[in-house]
Each structure stands twice: as C-alpha cells, then as structure tokens.
Amino acid sequence: MSFEHLDSPKLKRFQRKVTLLSAAGTFLDGFDLTVIAVAMPLILSQWEITPGLQGLITSSAVIGSLIGALWLGNLTDKYGRKAMYVVDLVAFVVFAALTAFAQAPWQLILFRFLLGIGIGADYPISATLVSEFSSTKSRGKHSTSLGAMWFVGAVTAYLIGMLMLPLGPSAWRYMLLVGAVFALIVFFFRVTLPESPRWLASRGREKEAEEIMLKITGQKVIIKPDAAPKQKVGALFSKSLFRRTFFVCGFWFCYAVAYYGISMYTPTILKPFTNGSQMMVYTGSLTVSVLGLLGAIVGLNLVERIGRRPLIITSFTGLSIALIILALNPHPTMAFLVILFSLAVLFANMGGGILNFVYPTELFPTSIRASASGLATGVSRIGSILGILVFPNLVAAWGNSKALWFFAVISMAGLLVSVLLAPETKGKNLEELNNELNVSPGTTLKGENHGEMA
C-alpha cells in the first residue's frame, strides 16, 4: 500500500473538510437523540402518555440506531463508504421532518425508530471514513472531534428548545423539524466527497484508488494490490480479534449505559427542584450538556499527547467517583445535582464518549473496519436502551440516589475493562496496525496481553 501521502501537511485542508462533514453527521446524531428529552415535557402536556409509552418514545431512535449500526455498518464494508455516507442522510431529512408532523404517539415512535436507523448507520460510516483519510499524527484528534461534535449537537438541542419554548404547546414540533433542516444542509455538502482509496484498494480497485489519490494529493501514487487476507465479519469473534472486539464493545456499552441513563433524564430529575419552571429545567440541563462538551474538548486535545489508554482509564475513574458521590447523597439540592451530573458527563465524555470513534476504527483491518465499528455501535445502543428503560423503573422502586448505584457499578465495570484490555495505538498508521493484528492468528498489539501501555 502507498498511503504515506495522506500524511502530507498539504492535505490538512482536505482532511479538515472530511472531518467537518463527518462531524456534521455526529452533530445531527447528538441533536436528534437529545432533542426528544428536551421536547418530552411538552409532549407529555399535550398527549396522555403512560410511563411505558414515554420510555418507548424516548428510546425508539436508539433502538433504530442499533439496527442501523449493525446492518448498514456491514453494508459500508461491502458497497463503499461514500454510498452509505450520503444515503443515511436521506433518513435524517425525511424522518426528522415526519416526526414533527406526528399526530399520535405511535407515529412519533415509528418515525423516531426509522430516524434512528440513519443515526446508527452514521457512526461506523463517518468514523471509518475519517480514520481512512486522516494522517497518522492527527488521526486521533480528527476522530475524537466526531465525538465532540455529538455533544455540540446535544447542547444545540437545549438551546433550540429554549428558543422555541415561547411558541407554545406545539413548540416541540419545531424543535424536531430543525433537525431535518440541519440534515438537508449537510446532505448537499457530503455528496462532494470522494470514496475512500483505502476501501477501493481493499476491494482490488487500485486504479480508482490511484485516481482519487492523484486528485486529492496532486501526486501520482502507485498502489499495490492489498496482500493482507480479506476478513469476513465472523473474524471479529476469531481467536486473534476477539479480545479487541470484546474491549471496544465492552467499554462503549458501559459508557452508553451510564451516559444515556443520566442525560436522557436530566430534565426529569431536575424538574422537582425548579418550582415548576421549565426554563430552569432547560438551563440546568444545558449546563450539564455544556460541561459534557467541555469534557469532549479536553479529551480531543489530550488524545495525541497522553495517548488513548491513559485517557480512557482517567475517564472511567472520574465518572465512577462522581456517580458514587451522587448515589451516597439521598437528599441533594439543585446545585449539587447540576455540579455532580456535570462532572460525571465531563469525565465520561473526556474518554469513553470520544474514543468510541477511535478504537473501533484503529483496531480492525480495512475489510471489516466499518463492520467492527457498527458492531460496537450496536452493542452500545443496547447499553443506551438499557440505561433509558431501566432508570425510570429503578427510580420508582428505589428513589433517585439508590438508582444511581446501578450506573456507578456499570461505570466501574467499564474502568475494569479499560485497565485490563485497553491498548495504546497512538502514532501508528492503519497499515502498521493491520499488520500487527492480522499477520498470524496469535498476533497482538504490544502491551495488549497484560493491559500495559504500548
């Protein structure tokens, strides 16, 4: 392979464009998954909805994203990055618009579910495309910026909610419609990007890969046929790859349970402390989201400095401590909740919330990279669904503080998985990582067997 030219400083502008348009997709993910939490108090005031139905409305997009990640992640490896990269935006536009015009809870659930399929697909597609176009030295920073933009989308959802609130009981419809407008803008820009030359080369289409390399680098590059054995999806569970599969699925699952369980119900948890002020609910929830975004920005700037492994271990350590302190206080104040929830999401997003766009694309070969990322995304969606559906029932049975012990235990499990299994991949190009991972069934990353830093 001859992709060293992608490390040229001359490509920084093009790589920033790829990252920006991919990050626009994760921005939409963050917006669309969070805006339902913002809109829910208004929906509840307009429709008669049982707690069970509320859980379905809140989780329907996440359930759809589970299917989208598993199904379309695999198709991305089969049919190309660009094709799926553009197609999934159609789902964002169409179904985000339809949710705004839903006339009954079942319609809202259906349209949110279909929207979720596009959301789930965008994780493996965008993360894979960015990693395959990025330079070795900036790959971590480019990939983690996708995670950071998710939280920009979440913050924007609260800001849009506050702006739309004066529109009255139907303001939630305008909140949901804004997501469709954002998606339409991103769609028109995404169609201008080329296919990944690494994917083309992995499919034996070296000439097409050379043409794209010439177009983006201005230099003629000879790409040799990929000699690495083509892996199928089943290889993710083979002896040589299962450890990495378990790691990326495990840490992302634990992060998703804790983060979604907290973030999707932040407005609901804070509401009893605001004397009925919806604006105070949004302000407190926005504060938590902003601190979550700050955590992602901190992680983005540390990932190439201190490495992936120290970052993810620090992340789960801080999250666990914050959740334990929350769980130990049965009579919190509004200020206490906002501060501790903010610290919890800050630490969570500093590592787990952004490295989920890095590790799945670094630890697996090109032929199954999007499938691996899709599988990890799918498992994380199971965690998200668990966090969303279990938390209200735990609160009803135990109360808020005791229910938070569930998330504290899950976070500590994520810490254990990271300490034992997280490898260090900083400073290695994808071909080097592919060779380390796939030259023989027993190959492992340096330091992987004992959880050491490479």
Side-chain angles (χ1 to χ4, degrees):
M1 292 294 150
S2 299
F3 297 111
E4 294 83 0
H5 289 77
L6 292 175
D7 290 331
S8 170
K10 296 179 181 178
L11 284 186
K12 284 185 177 179
R13 183 175 179 181
F14 171 77
Q15 288 164 339
R16 282 196 294 267
K17 178 182 178 181
V18 173
T19 301
L20 178 62
L21 291 178
S22 299
T26 55
F27 167 90
L28 291 171
D29 298 344
F31 180 89
D32 285 320
L33 287 177
T34 305
V35 75
I36 195 66
V38 182
M40 186 55 69
L42 298 176
I43 295 173
L44 291 174
S45 67
Q46 194 169 75
W47 291 341
E48 290 186 10
I49 295 175
T50 63
L53 201 57
Q54 179 184 350
L56 280 175
I57 293 173
T58 304
S59 62
S60 55
V62 181
I63 295 170
S65 70
L66 164 63
I67 296 172
L70 294 173
W71 176 36
L72 296 179
N74 186 33
L75 293 182
T76 301
D77 281 329
K78 287 184 178 180
Y79 300 115
R81 309 333 189 189
K82 181 178 179 179
M84 306 312 299
Y85 189 63
V86 174
V87 167
D88 80 301
L89 257 293
V90 175
F92 278 88
V93 175
V94 174
F95 297 118
L98 287 174
T99 59
F101 295 99
Q103 298 300 308
W106 71 265
Q107 292 179 8
L108 188 57
I109 292 169
L110 174 63
F111 296 144
R112 290 280 301 172
F113 170 78
L114 295 172
L115 171 63
I117 292 177
I119 290 174
D122 204 71
Y123 279 79
I125 299 169
S126 293
T128 299
L129 196 67
V130 167
S131 70
E132 291 179 353
F133 272 119
S134 295
S135 66
T136 301
K137 290 183 178 180
S138 62
R139 187 179 63 243
K141 191 168 185 177
H142 280 290
S143 296
T144 53
S145 67
L146 301 187
M149 282 299 289
W150 194 102
F151 304 108
V152 174
V155 169
T156 302
Y158 281 107
L159 291 174
I160 292 295
M162 295 170 74
L163 289 173
M164 298 294 181
L165 194 58
L167 296 178
S170 295
W172 64 271
R173 296 185 183 277
Y174 298 101
M175 297 177 194
L176 300 183
L177 188 61
V178 167
V181 175
F182 285 155
L184 189 61
I185 295 170
V186 177
F187 174 83
F188 286 115
F189 284 100
R190 275 197 177 184
V191 295
T192 65
L193 291 180
E195 179 58 270
S196 164
R198 279 187 162 108
W199 178 81
L200 289 168
S202 76
R203 308 297 289 186
R205 295 160 62 178
E206 291 84 7
K207 292 299 180 184
E208 293 175 64
E210 290 172 1
E211 290 173 4
I212 290 176
M213 289 294 288
L214 175 62
K215 182 178 179 180
I216 64 178
T217 67
Q219 300 181 48
K220 186 171 178 60
V221 177
I222 304 300
I223 297 179
K224 299 178 182 179
D226 187 358
K230 299 296 182 294
Q231 302 278 13
K232 295 184 179 180
V233 177
L236 295 173
F237 304 98
S238 66
K239 185 178 179 180
S240 61
L241 290 175
F242 180 74
R243 185 185 184 90
R244 296 148 212 148
T245 302
F246 183 84
F247 165 64
V248 297
C249 292
F251 91 79
W252 200 348
F253 173 87
C254 292
Y255 162 80
V257 172
Y259 178 79
Y260 278 88
I262 294 170
S263 65
M264 287 296 172
Y265 292 104
T266 298
T268 304
I269 293 170
L270 296 182
K271 190 171 183 178
F273 299 88
T274 61
N275 296 319
S277 171
Q278 192 62 46
M279 187 59 72
M280 280 188 67
V281 171
Y282 285 168
T283 302
S285 301
L286 175 62
T287 302
V288 174
S289 291
V290 169
L291 266 293
L293 172 58
L294 178 61
I297 293 172
V298 170
L300 185 155
N301 285 284
L302 290 177
V303 67
E304 296 294 3
R305 295 182 184 181
I306 68 172
R308 283 66 156 154
R309 178 176 164 81
L311 193 59
I312 198 166
I313 291 174
T314 302
S315 171
F316 274 110
T317 300
L319 173 61
S320 298
I321 292 172
L323 287 172
I324 289 171
I325 294 173
L326 276 164
L328 286 172
N329 189 342
H331 304 292
T333 63
M334 173 78 169
F336 176 86
L337 285 174
V338 170
I339 291 170
L340 266 295
F341 276 140
S342 295
L343 287 174
V345 298
L346 186 150
F347 277 104
N349 298 347
M350 186 176 74
I354 56 174
L355 289 175
N356 48 19
F357 288 93
V358 180
Y359 270 129
T361 60
E362 291 185 332
L363 293 178
F364 300 93
T366 303
S367 57
I368 55 171
R369 183 169 292 128
S371 296
S373 184
L375 174 65
T377 304
V379 171
S380 78
R381 296 310 87 180
I382 295 174
S384 305
I385 295 164
L386 181 64
I388 292 170
L389 295 182
V390 167
F391 185 69
N393 295 312
L394 291 180
V395 170
W398 301 344
N400 276 332
S401 62
K402 289 183 180 179
L404 287 168
W405 277 112
F406 172 76
F407 298 110
V409 170
I410 292 293
S411 178
M412 287 186 282
L415 175 60
L416 182 64
V417 167
S418 299
V419 169
L420 294 178
L421 300 178
E424 185 54 75
T425 55
K426 183 182 74 169
K428 298 180 180 181
N429 65 45
L430 295 180
E431 284 65 48
E432 183 181 358
L433 290 169
N434 284 1
N435 291 335
E436 288 182 343
L437 295 171
N438 297 296
V439 290
S440 69
T443 302
T444 58
L445 278 173
K446 180 181 175 183
E448 201 176 26
N449 282 331
H450 302 289
E452 308 154 15
M453 287 181 63

